Structures are given as structure tokens and as C-alpha cells.
Amino acid sequence: AQRVTQPEKLLSVFKGAPVELKCNYSYSGSPELFWYVQYSRQRLQLLLRHISRESIKGFTADLNKGETSFHLKKPFAQEEDSAMYYCALRGMNRDDKIIFGKGTRLHILP
Amino acid sequence: DAGVIQSPRHEVTEMGQEVTLRCKPISGHDYLFWYRQTMMRGLELLIYFNNNVPIDDSGMPEDRFSAKMPNASFSTLKIQPSEPRDSAVYFCASSSGLTSSYEQYFGPGTRLTVT
């Protein structure tokens, strides 16, 4: 069964400290992984996807197939990073739907 | 493009009343999704359409919920009768099946409160 697990509901990090938002998944095959972000009073939006292998707003995420993880990382947290973060998975079949984790609220402390 | 448009933005209703949420996807997108967001359960997919046809409604909680997409530019999610446990933020999202990434574009959401 497809499943996305974000073990932390809330993560508080001091400004300037490293950030790691955990995401583990369950999927038999090669899924596509995403991180979506929802800033206060803004729409949920795509932050990054694993196939792009890009860094967005200083965030990176590496797909680790051995550990079935897709953790989101940033070396130095900024106050504007405070938001709700969702890890998501989509299978490779045309009609596969995206499965979202329950989300982690990141709170950057001054 | 204004992006995905949802109305109303806020809805307060009494238990037992019918509630209709509306969504206009981004022009040209052929997938439309309805999600429900709560503190307890996070973001749950309720139903999604491809080319106006419902593909997967396994996330619809019960028969009180129904969704339609009469044309490519409009969809509704109806709850009848509504109950307090339906209180949540309901998001509509759309995507284009032509892109390899299937990135979803979300609307601003409708915050529903059932008293």
C-alpha cells in the first residue's frame, strides 16, 4: 500500500540552525516524491520534487530508496521558513493519485 | 491567470444544512482534485477527476458527500446533510496531465464551519 509518513507534527528550530523535516514512504516501485509548503495565509504550493534535484529557498531533499526516505533539509533556518510542510508521493502509473503525509509544522524561533 | 478559484472562502452553517463548495480550475488543466484538511488527519484526497470524469472517489467519507464536474471549468463538492465533524478547510487543486511532474496547483481553500 502507498503511504507517506511524517513522524513530526511540530518541529521548532532556532534561526540559523539546521533543519531536517523527515519523510518516509511505502511504495512498491519507483515513485515520484514531492515537498509542498503552505505559508501563513497563502496557498499550498509545490516546493520541490525529487526528479528536479534542485535547491529551492535553500532547501534540498534527496530520495534514499534504500531507506525509503525523502527528508527535507536546509543548513541554516530563516524565520520566513516557518510554515506547514507536506511530503507527497505519486506512483508512476497515469492515474495514480498523489498521497500526502499529515504534514509537519515548522516553527523557526528567533 | 488567477490560478485555481474557490468559493466561498468561508462558510458557516448549521448542522443538517446543505453545503456546496465551488471550484474553477486553471484553464487547460485536465485533472481536478478535492482535498480536506484537518488538524487531526492532515490533507486527505476526497476525489479526483480527469477530463471531467471521476476517477477515484475512495476518499469520499460517506454518502453525504458528492462531487460533480459538469464541464472543464467548474466543479462542486456538496455535503448534504452537513455535520459538525465536517468542519475543515476544503481545497481544490488542478494539474495538467501533459506535464511529467503532475504538479498540483491549489486554490485558497474554503473554511467550513458546521455548528
Side-chain angles (χ1 to χ4, degrees), chain B residues 65-85:
Chain B
F65 285 69
S66 63
K68 294 181 180 179
M69 192 165 185
N71 57 61
S73 59
F74 183 66
S75 177
T76 59
L77 178 68
K78 186 176 293 187
I79 309 172
Q80 165 63 17
S82 58
E83 296 182 3
R85 60 191 167 124

Side-chain angles (χ1 to χ4, degrees), chain B residues 6-23:
Chain B
Q6 289 186 247
S7 65
R9 295 293 306 276
H10 301 273
E11 177 79 39
V12 180
T13 190
E14 292 184 347
M15 183 174 71
Q17 296 298 306
E18 177 180 297
V19 174
T20 300
L21 311 180
R22 297 173 177 79
C23 174

Side-chain angles (χ1 to χ4, degrees), chain B:
Chain B
D1 195 336
V4 176
I5 298 172
Q6 289 186 247
S7 65
R9 295 293 306 276
H10 301 273
E11 177 79 39
V12 180
T13 190
E14 292 184 347
M15 183 174 71
Q17 296 298 306
E18 177 180 297
V19 174
T20 300
L21 311 180
R22 297 173 177 79
C23 174
K24 181 181 183 333
I26 291 173
S27 178
H29 281 186
D30 54 349
Y31 283 83
L32 183 139
F33 307 81
W34 281 102
Y35 290 90
R36 178 172 66 178
Q37 183 187 45
T38 60
M39 289 286 290
M40 289 298 296
R41 303 170 81 123
L43 199 61
E44 302 173 277
L45 177 65
L46 300 177
I47 184 171
Y48 78 95
F49 296 82
N50 177 220
N51 292 321
N52 314 337
V53 176
I55 302 300
D56 186 341
D57 65 353
S58 59
M60 296 285 260
E62 47 199 274
D63 292 345
R64 297 184 297 106
F65 285 69
S66 63
K68 294 181 180 179
M69 192 165 185
N71 57 61
S73 59
F74 183 66
S75 177
T76 59
L77 178 68
K78 186 176 293 187
I79 309 172
Q80 165 63 17
S82 58
E83 296 182 3
R85 60 191 167 124
D86 301 331
S87 297
V89 180
Y90 291 82
F91 288 102
C92 177
S94 70
S95 70
S96 171
L98 296 177
T99 63
S100 60
S101 66
Y102 288 83
E103 175 180 350
Q104 294 191 7
Y105 295 82
F106 282 78
T110 295
R111 183 174 294 277
L112 173 65
T113 303
V114 183
T115 60

Side-chain angles (χ1 to χ4, degrees), chain A residues 15-98:
Chain A
K15 178 181 171 181
V19 176
E20 183 178 68
L21 298 170
K22 291 185 169 51
C23 173
N24 289 90
Y25 68 90
S26 173
Y27 183 79
S28 56
S30 296
E32 193 167 4
L33 276 296
F34 307 83
W35 276 99
Y36 278 79
V37 61
Q38 187 177 24
Y39 300 103
S40 179
R41 294 189 175 82
Q42 291 189 30
R43 303 181 183 211
L44 189 64
Q45 58 188 287
L46 179 68
L47 179 63
L48 54 80
R49 67 199 78 171
H50 90 271
I51 58 172
S52 300
R53 303 185 67 82
E54 57 196 347
S55 173
I56 303 293
K57 300 183 178 183
F59 284 98
T60 59
D62 291 320
L63 178 59
N64 186 322
K65 292 185 178 180
E67 295 182 0
T68 59
S69 68
F70 189 56
H71 303 328
L72 184 67
K73 300 178 183 179
K74 183 170 182 176
F76 307 105
Q78 297 172 284
E79 288 192 58
E80 54 264 35
D81 296 329
S82 293
M84 192 75 177
Y85 291 81
Y86 289 95
C87 182
L89 169 155
R90 197 187 78 83
M92 300 307 287
N93 298 318
R94 177 181 167 82
D95 285 331
D96 279 350
K97 57 192 178 187
I98 289 187

